[in-house]
Amino acid sequence: TSARNNNFLALIIIDLDEFKLINETYGHAAGDTLLKELSRRLSTQVRKSDIVARLGGDEFGVIINGYKQETDIHILTNKLMGVFDRPIDYGAESFHGKGCLGVALLGPEELPRDAAALLRAADGALYRAKHKGKNTIVYYDQRLGETLQQSASMENALNKAVENNELELYYQPKINSETLTLSGAEALLRWKWTGHEQVSPAIFIPIAERSLSIIEIGQWVLEEACRKMDYWKKKGLNLVPIAINVSPIQLQSSTFIRRVIETLDQYDIDPKLIELEITESTLMEHVEHISDRMNKLASIGCKWVIDDFGIGHSSLSRIADLPISKIKVDQSFVQMAPTSPADKKICSIIVLLAHELNLELVAEGVETLSHINALTLLPQDELQGFYFSKPLTSTDFEVWLQPEQFSQCVD
Ligand code: C2E
Ligand code: CA
Ligand code: CA
């Protein structure tokens, strides 16, 4: 490559979105057709001297070399994204592929230190692109480099978060929509990274998932919630069902089910008091592997809840097939319902759907009375949000569990 170092060189990784969904909906032969056609289209976009390769699964790698100007590379990556524009025919059907691009670019003076570094950069850019949404291109740059470095040090710190006692569970009350009394709570994780400000779970959970430390952290969450419930019970407080967020990575671990059962056993917790929240997108992506595991826990009495419902793309037949007890309407719909007729309509449809399927319902992110009034709720439905309470430390939440407080939490 040194002979060409007055040119630009780029490594581009292309990762398909929703490939599993296409495989599942249309069958594996359709998935193969999609990969073949995309590979063909990619090859037609680049020059003979460039390289297009399948990196395995639903990823392609493209190496382009010998470009004189950076803008040429931008034009080319846009052309590569163009392979997703036209639908792909499959028998009588046709479907649209979608994908994200991560680009690592080396300028004329920059020589790659090693191929692995280039690959890491492109992979980092791709990871960022995936998080931004579908059909996105992200270029690796200085700032992304810093963010990645930051997340690398966070990744290391998260590995020791349990051991260093840096984690804490907060509890956010859930309220029955008719009686306006406490009906349950959601356990929400907080991380006080030693020497830093508290970090939001929205930031650290994805990093913990990527490094798999979420498995240990998730187990800590379950144990801590059970430990607290046991403590509250012994203190004579009223127990309510506690909802725990479960990451798809945890569900993929073969020991997950056994550890949940053991933990409930150890603290003598009635499985009926445990709700497991899983996001809609997770469910749809991994459904074939996890439905058995979900059934196992449902059979002992744990409830499964679909979190952030409405923003993913669920198939209704799937939901009916899985042991789901409850649906949590995503807060974006709840909050937009009073002002946006479209969101109000989606909200009403979700509420109706839940009731029709005999599912319990939680409206999340309730911040004002107008949010509640925009919903058509049934007596058993639940409400959760800042209007009633923010997530509380376990000590503050205990006040909600006092027998005398129990019937007059909200007025
Ligand atoms: P989530 O499961 O959708 O949790 C609800 C989030 O909305 C929480 O953010 C909560 O503090 C916030 N929230 C509650 N009421 C309101 C409201 O009225 N208005 C607004 N604007 N926000 C409200 P939080 O605690 O920052 O958690 C963010 C996300 O991190 C969670 O979203 C969940 O996906 C994840 N998470 C939190 N704890 C855990 C955990 O123990 N395990 C896993 N795997 N994920 C967790
Ligand atoms: Ca949740
Ligand atoms: Ca949610």
Side-chain angles (χ1 to χ4, degrees):
T1 43
S2 57
R4 297 181 175 214
N5 72 350
N6 55 350
N7 290 319
F8 281 89
L9 177 141
L11 170 63
I12 303 159
I13 304 181
I14 302 165
D15 186 279
L16 306 191
D17 301 321
E18 302 173 356
F19 182 63
K20 288 198 186 95
L21 205 68
I22 288 178
N23 258 338
E24 249 182 58
T25 318
Y26 300 97
H28 288 273
D32 289 344
T33 306
L34 172 73
L35 290 174
K36 276 202 201 100
E37 174 60 14
L38 286 177
S39 156
R40 193 192 64 76
R41 288 183 190 178
L42 285 171
S43 313
T44 63
Q45 298 302 325
V46 298
R47 310 191 299 197
K48 280 243 154 47
S49 55
D50 300 330
I51 298 167
V52 176
R54 171 117 177 257
L55 298 179
D58 53 358
E59 275 191 358
F60 292 96
V62 179
I63 297 175
I64 54 179
N65 204 345
Y67 286 77
K68 287 267 181 288
Q69 293 177 49
E70 193 171 340
T71 46
D72 292 342
I73 310 256
H74 291 266
I75 292 167
L76 185 82
T77 51
N78 281 320
K79 268 167 68 187
L80 291 179
M81 195 55 123
V83 303
F84 298 114
D85 286 350
R86 276 177 300 119
I88 287 164
D89 293 324
Y90 178 69
E93 312 261 15
S94 77
F95 43 78
H96 268 277
K98 288 195 198 101
C100 285
L101 264 68
V103 187
L105 189 60
L106 283 180
E109 283 84 44
E110 305 170 87
L111 277 177
R113 272 164 300 151
D114 55 88
L118 196 62
L119 196 62
R120 259 201 315 278
D123 201 40
L126 177 68
Y127 183 72
R128 181 49 72 86
K130 285 277 204 203
H131 264 252
K132 279 196 167 172
K134 299 189 173 77
N135 277 338
T136 315
I137 303 177
V138 170
Y139 290 84
Y140 184 90
D141 65 12
Q142 185 79 29
R143 240 190 30 248
L144 179 57
E146 280 159 19
T147 321
L148 289 174
Q149 215 155 15
Q150 212 176 27
S151 66
S153 60
M154 243 187 222
E155 206 172 298
N156 286 330
L158 280 166
N159 278 325
K160 293 180 230 122
V162 171
E163 182 187 326
N164 290 349
N165 256 321
E166 293 169 344
L167 298 175
E168 185 176 0
L169 272 192
Y170 276 46
Y171 300 85
Q172 186 177 35
K174 283 188 294 170
I175 306 297
N176 176 280
S177 71
E178 189 182 53
T179 62
L180 296 183
T181 55
L182 185 74
S183 59
E186 177 175 12
L188 291 159
L189 188 56
R190 297 292 177 260
W191 178 34
K192 180 70 188 70
W193 183 6
T194 308
H196 297 76
E197 300 279 295
Q198 199 175 65
V199 189
S200 158
I203 291 176
F204 74 78
I205 296 280
I207 295 171
E209 285 178 335
R210 202 175 158 194
S211 68
L212 301 185
S213 55
I214 191 67
I215 295 183
E216 193 198 357
I217 291 174
Q219 175 59 25
W220 181 87
V221 169
L222 178 73
E223 239 178 271
E224 173 63 18
C226 291
R227 195 162 34 228
K228 267 291 139 57
M229 288 169 90
D230 182 44
Y231 168 76
W232 289 331
K233 190 169 56 183
K234 287 180 175 144
K235 236 180 148 178
L237 298 171
N238 280 311
L239 284 190
V240 290
I242 300 291
I244 289 168
N245 291 286
V246 175
S247 153
I249 312 290
Q250 285 174 270
L251 259 180
Q252 278 166 11
S253 137
S254 58
T255 53
F256 176 71
I257 302 295
R258 204 187 64 223
R259 293 177 88 176
V260 173
I261 295 173
E262 281 172 5
T263 309
L264 294 179
D265 226 43
Q266 183 188 345
Y267 293 98
D268 192 23
I269 303 294
D270 182 354
K272 289 197 183 66
L273 288 175
I274 298 293
E275 296 180 354
L276 301 164
E277 293 194 1
I278 179 165
T279 61
E280 187 191 6
S281 48
T282 306
L283 256 180
M284 293 307 131
E285 269 185 40
H286 305 279
V287 72
E288 67 269 48
H289 310 294
I290 60 179
S291 66
D292 285 352
R293 293 184 181 169
M294 291 176 71
N295 277 319
K296 187 92 210 305
L297 286 183
S299 73
I300 64 164
C302 293
K303 273 187 187 171
W304 284 100
V305 183
I306 304 190
D307 204 353
D308 302 344
F309 190 83
I311 54 174
H313 25 244
S314 307
S315 96
L316 291 182
S317 59
R318 279 283 151 60
I319 291 178
D321 284 346
L322 291 169
I324 306 292
S325 309
K326 202 182 267 198
I327 278 179
K328 223 170 182 183
V329 190
D330 189 67
Q331 40 183 294
S332 58
F333 298 118
V334 174
Q335 288 162 2
M336 294 300 287
T339 47
S340 151
D343 285 297
K344 183 167 177 165
K345 206 169 263 175
I346 296 176
C347 229
S348 310
I349 291 170
I350 296 173
V351 171
L352 210 76
L353 169 80
H355 294 155
E356 272 311 302
L357 292 174
N358 278 322
L359 296 170
E360 297 168 50
L361 185 102
V362 189
E364 171 172 53
V366 173
E367 291 180 353
T368 64
L369 198 56
S370 68
H371 292 156
I372 305 176
N373 290 336
L375 303 164
T376 336
L377 298 169
L378 286 185
Q380 69 270 26
D381 296 337
E382 295 177 282
L383 301 165
Q384 178 183 349
F386 297 165
Y387 179 68
F388 298 102
S389 169
K390 296 203 165 200
L392 304 168
T393 63
S394 70
T395 321
D396 288 342
F397 178 62
E398 270 182 29
V399 177
W400 288 72
L401 299 174
Q402 309 282 349
E404 66 274 18
Q405 289 282 316
F406 206 65
S407 55
Q408 44 161 61
C409 304
V410 186
D411 50 12

